Amino acid sequence: MTQQLIVGFIVAAAAFYAVWRWMPAGWRRGAAQKLAAGTHRAGWVDEERARELAASLARTSGCGSCDSCGSCAPKTPLKPTEADKATTTRASTQSR
């Protein structure tokens, strides 16, 4: 019986995470605000921590459909360094 409760809790948590992760951003921001306000009303966190919680929950994780975090690729192409140029030149002459 205990194992079934634990497995049920894990499955419910995974389902909640999947729904939260793939929820439209507008819905996620609204739900995050309501959840943070509820924790503040219940006295679990103060007002500043509730704002931080709402901001944290509203964000998406990892690389998704946005480019606001800048972690996927640089905004401008990187300039080749002298070492890169030498390696490219040497490799192209050796392959002939």
Side-chain angles (χ1 to χ4, degrees):
M1 179 68 176
T2 304
Q3 288 179 340
Q4 292 173 341
L5 290 175
I6 292 171
V7 169
F9 178 74
I10 292 171
V11 169
F16 179 76
Y17 175 78
V19 167
W20 188 269
R21 171 74 171 97
W22 297 108
M23 184 185 303
W27 293 5
R28 187 173 37 251
R29 281 190 298 269
Q33 289 292 334
K34 289 178 183 177
L35 184 64
T39 59
H40 177 62
R41 274 193 309 268
W44 294 343
V45 295
D46 60 355
E47 187 175 348
E48 181 181 343
R49 181 66 182 131
R51 281 193 302 264
E52 291 173 5
L53 178 65
S56 175
L57 290 174
R59 281 185 282 168
T60 59
S61 61
C63 292
S65 61
C66 68
D67 59 356
S68 62
C69 68
S71 66
C72 295
K75 299 270 186 221
T76 58
L78 297 175
K79 296 179 182 177
T81 62
E82 293 299 322
D84 292 338
K85 290 178 185 176
T87 305
T88 305
T89 305
R90 188 175 9 165
S92 65
T93 57
Q94 290 178 355
S95 64
R96 293 182 193 175

